[in-house]
Amino acid sequence: MINREWHLLSRPVGWPKPEDFALVEAEVPTPGAGQVLVRNKYLSVDPYMRGRMSAAKSYVAPFELGKVMQGGAVGEVVASNAEGVSVGDHVLHFFGWREYAAVDAKNAVKVDPEAAPLSTYLGVLGMTGLTAYAGLLRTASFKEGDSVFVSGAAGAVGSQVGQIAKLKGASRVIGSAGSDEKVKLLVEEYGFDAAFNYRNGPVSEQLREAAPDGVDVYFDNVGGDHLEAAIGRLNQGGRIAVCGMISVYNNTEPAPGPGNLARLIQTRGRIEGFLVGDHYDLQPQFVQEVGAWVRSGELKYRETVVEGIENNLEAFLGVLRGDNTGKMIVKL
C-alpha cells in the first residue's frame, strides 16, 4: 500500500513556493508496540505552520527538511498494537500532511463521530476553538459588558471569539475581514454588531467609526495596522490578547512595531501573547460549554473544505491568503 505524504524540501523565503515542497510516495507504516495505524480522514492547515517552515527558534520545533511535515488530523484506526484503542475507533492526533500515520496511542485522543462531525474536532471543538476560548476568557480577561474587537474575524479562531463574546454578554463586538462577503457573514450570521473590510480603507479610520466608544478587548490575529489601530481605540484598562500576526509571517524584513505604544501608559492597557498549549486545563470546561452552544445552534461555524491530499499545500497557501471562511480543512 502507498502512503502519500508532504515533505519540506527547502525553507521558504517570503511566501512559500510549490518548489519548496514535494508530495512523496512512501510505504504505509507498520505500527509498533503501543502504536495504532490511522487512516487520516481530515487534515488541518493553520497559519502557525508557516513558522515551522523556518529554521528560526520558536515555541515549537521547525519541520525537518526532507521529512514529512506535521499537523492536526483526525482519522480511523485500521490497525492497533495498543490496549484501549481498537480498530474502528476514531482518533485526533498531530501527524497530518499524510494519508496514513503510525501514532503512539498515548498521543491519540479518541473522538466520537456520533457526537459531532469528525472535522469539528479540528476546528470549532478542537485546537482553534480552544484557542478562541482561552484567549478571550483567560488571556484577555473578558468580562460582561466589554466592547470587543477581533481581527481576522471570519477565520476559524476569530469567528468563535466574536460569538463567545456575544454569548458571554459583550456590549459590542466588532470584526475585521478581507472581503465584503465575509463582513456580511459576520454581521448577519455570527451576530457581530459591526464589521468592516480592511481592504476598503485605513483600519484606524474604519475602527474609529465602528467603535465610537472605544474597545475594552482586542483579540489580535493579524498584527500590523490592526494592532496599532486597536491601541489607538483602547479604553482605560483595556486588554490585548495576541494570538497571531498573519500579516507579517511572510515578511523577509522585520516589520515596524506600532507607533503608538506610549498610549498604553495613558490607558493602563495590557498586551499579552499566548499559546493554546498553555491552557489545556480548560479543555473539559471548553468542550462542555462550547459543545452545548454548537448543539443548540447558538454558536455557528463554517468550514472551507478542500478535497484530496494532493491539494494540501494549496489549502495551506489559501489560509495565508485569507481564502478560507472559518476553518480550512482537507478531506481525504
Side-chain angles (χ1 to χ4, degrees):
M1 294 176 63
I2 298 298
N3 185 26
R4 290 182 294 172
E5 54 187 39
W6 281 96
H7 289 204
L8 182 66
L9 300 184
S10 57
R11 302 206 179 278
V13 177
W15 275 85
K17 302 179 293 296
E19 51 265 36
D20 295 323
F21 309 85
L23 182 59
V24 175
E25 291 188 349
E27 290 186 5
V28 173
T30 300
Q35 290 190 324
V36 295
L37 179 65
V38 181
R39 179 170 63 84
N40 289 330
K41 291 190 172 183
Y42 294 94
L43 307 178
S44 177
V45 286
D46 303 281
Y48 81 87
M49 294 175 177
R50 177 61 184 88
R52 296 197 67 185
M53 295 172 188
S54 168
K57 186 176 181 180
S58 184
Y59 60 88
V60 63
F63 293 132
E64 295 185 56
L65 293 179
K67 295 187 177 181
V68 61
M69 295 184 289
Q70 299 171 346
V74 64
E76 181 180 0
V77 175
V78 294
S80 176
N81 280 331
E83 292 185 7
V85 185
S86 305
V87 171
D89 286 344
H90 291 83
V91 296
L92 171 69
H93 61 91
F94 288 91
F95 291 89
W97 289 82
R98 70 199 82 186
E99 292 176 307
Y100 290 85
V103 181
D104 289 342
K106 64 182 179 181
N107 295 327
V109 178
K110 285 187 183 181
V111 295
D112 184 359
E114 299 298 323
L118 284 175
S119 59
T120 63
Y121 294 105
L122 296 174
V124 65
L125 296 178
M127 185 179 71
T128 53
L130 181 59
T131 299
Y133 190 86
L136 176 69
L137 301 183
R138 177 174 282 174
T139 305
S141 304
F142 171 85
K143 61 183 184 297
E144 185 177 354
D146 279 344
S147 173
V148 178
F149 171 43
V150 188
S151 58
V157 174
S159 60
Q160 273 189 256
V161 171
Q163 291 184 82
I164 292 171
K166 290 293 291 184
L167 288 164
K168 289 285 191 178
S171 61
R172 187 169 177 81
V173 174
I174 303 116
S176 72
S179 73
D180 293 340
E181 181 181 10
K182 290 180 179 179
V183 167
K184 184 178 180 181
L185 172 71
L186 293 177
V187 175
E188 295 185 1
E189 184 168 331
Y190 293 157
F192 282 57
D193 297 289
F196 60 86
N197 182 347
Y198 65 82
R199 303 182 195 274
N200 287 348
V203 174
S204 58
E205 294 179 9
Q206 295 194 78
L207 180 59
R208 187 181 305 114
E209 182 177 346
D213 297 322
V215 297
D216 301 300
V217 169
Y218 170 49
F219 194 103
D220 191 15
N221 291 306
V222 175
D225 55 355
H226 281 74
L227 177 56
E228 186 164 301
I231 293 172
R233 298 303 300 159
L234 204 64
N235 290 331
Q236 184 167 319
R239 291 86 65 201
I240 296 174
V242 180
C243 175
M245 293 192 173
I246 197 170
S247 69
V248 302
Y249 286 170
N250 294 306
N251 288 5
T252 56
E253 298 293 334
N260 59 348
L261 280 174
R263 192 168 187 278
L264 295 177
I265 302 170
Q266 172 190 344
T267 62
R268 292 75 150 178
R270 169 169 63 85
I271 300 179
E272 183 177 345
F274 75 99
L275 297 175
V276 66
D278 296 332
H279 303 282
Y280 282 138
D281 62 297
L282 290 175
Q283 181 80 18
Q285 174 184 325
F286 158 74
V287 170
Q288 181 179 15
E289 189 164 26
V290 175
W293 286 333
V294 171
R295 287 190 296 274
S296 69
E298 293 174 276
L299 193 149
K300 299 174 175 61
Y301 67 95
R302 291 280 192 98
E303 294 175 339
T304 299
V305 180
V306 173
E307 300 265 355
I309 186 73
E310 65 276 8
N311 294 314
N312 211 87
L313 175 60
E314 182 56 30
F316 167 71
L317 296 176
V319 170
L320 297 184
R321 292 191 299 261
D323 293 351
N324 57 301
T325 299
K327 182 75 183 79
M328 181 72 90
I329 298 285
V330 179
K331 181 180 180 181
L332 304 189

